[in-house]
Amino acid sequence: MSYPIMKKITEADWDRLIKELRYDEDVVYAKKIFWNKSDKEIMDTFESGFAFTERSEELLYMPAELFNYYYHYFPEFVIRGNYDRLDTPSVANSFIQLLEEKLEDHSFHYEGPLMLANNALDFIWDNIDRFNYAPDIYGDFLPRIKALKHSIQHYSIARH
């Protein structure tokens, strides 16, 4: 089965969505971070200290059209591993929590972002000792990863 190709997001798309959301402050702020930035600039914002938690929230509050376009940066960030060793549980938790919420509200409209999510889950799984070293704070990631992989496997892409 083939899926539609994502269209490029334009400034007009951002402005239309901001207007539809009645100038939602989260989306207005996200535009400053994501719109008209190079891949490197966006990745640098993920890799700047603990900023990945902010990027996770921005992706969470983005309308699906924007989320599907910009989501790929988060799994890429997870897999790159350019974060402090002590932040690994927080990285995994932020990523997993975003994925849980976006799967639940059926925000994924394309197969590509789901494949990237699955790859990042595999990466966390393969490095579980590194990510799962603070279960007293974040819980055990393994059951959450298993549940997410099952959800992704059975996720139905709706045409948009």
Side-chain angles (χ1 to χ4, degrees):
M1 178 179 278
S2 65
Y3 296 98
I5 304 297
M6 271 187 276
K7 75 174 191 80
K8 183 165 176 56
I9 296 294
T10 66
E11 187 168 24
D13 294 322
W14 274 100
D15 293 342
R16 172 181 50 80
L17 291 164
I18 289 168
K19 186 175 181 182
E20 286 174 10
L21 295 169
R22 298 182 198 214
Y23 302 95
D24 181 282
E25 291 178 29
D26 293 317
V27 180
V28 170
Y29 183 74
K31 181 181 177 187
K32 293 176 185 174
I33 302 297
F34 290 94
W35 165 246
N36 208 23
K37 302 288 193 256
S38 69
D39 290 339
K40 181 183 178 341
E41 288 172 312
I42 293 172
M43 287 307 295
D44 285 350
T45 69
F46 274 90
E47 296 172 353
S48 174
F50 218 64
F52 62 87
T53 59
E54 294 174 19
R55 299 300 83 81
S56 177
E57 287 184 24
E58 289 147 9
L59 288 165
L60 177 63
Y61 295 115
M62 279 183 183
E65 184 178 344
L66 297 174
F67 169 77
N68 278 273
Y69 190 80
Y70 292 104
Y71 170 75
H72 71 93
Y73 291 103
F74 204 170
E76 289 174 17
F77 164 73
V78 171
I79 293 169
R80 273 190 192 189
N82 291 343
Y83 35 85
D84 189 280
R85 176 183 64 81
L86 298 175
D87 292 337
T88 56
S90 185
V91 167
N93 188 64
S94 293
F95 177 75
I96 288 170
Q97 192 169 25
L98 174 67
L99 186 53
E100 288 168 338
E101 293 188 38
K102 287 300 193 173
L103 284 169
E104 186 176 314
D105 71 10
H106 212 80
S107 291
F108 287 91
H109 297 173
Y110 303 93
E111 186 176 31
L114 281 173
M115 291 170 49
L116 286 172
N118 203 43
N119 292 344
L121 290 171
D122 288 341
F123 178 80
I124 295 168
W125 183 287
D126 292 344
N127 297 281
I128 197 65
D129 291 339
R130 192 171 127 203
F131 286 97
N132 216 18
Y133 80 82
D136 51 320
I137 299 172
Y138 297 104
D140 183 358
F141 292 127
L142 288 176
R144 292 171 72 191
I145 291 170
K146 288 177 185 176
L148 284 168
K149 290 182 79 55
H150 180 267
S151 294
I152 290 170
Q153 184 179 4
H154 294 93
Y155 190 88
S156 175
I157 300 288
R159 299 213 178 249
H160 294 272

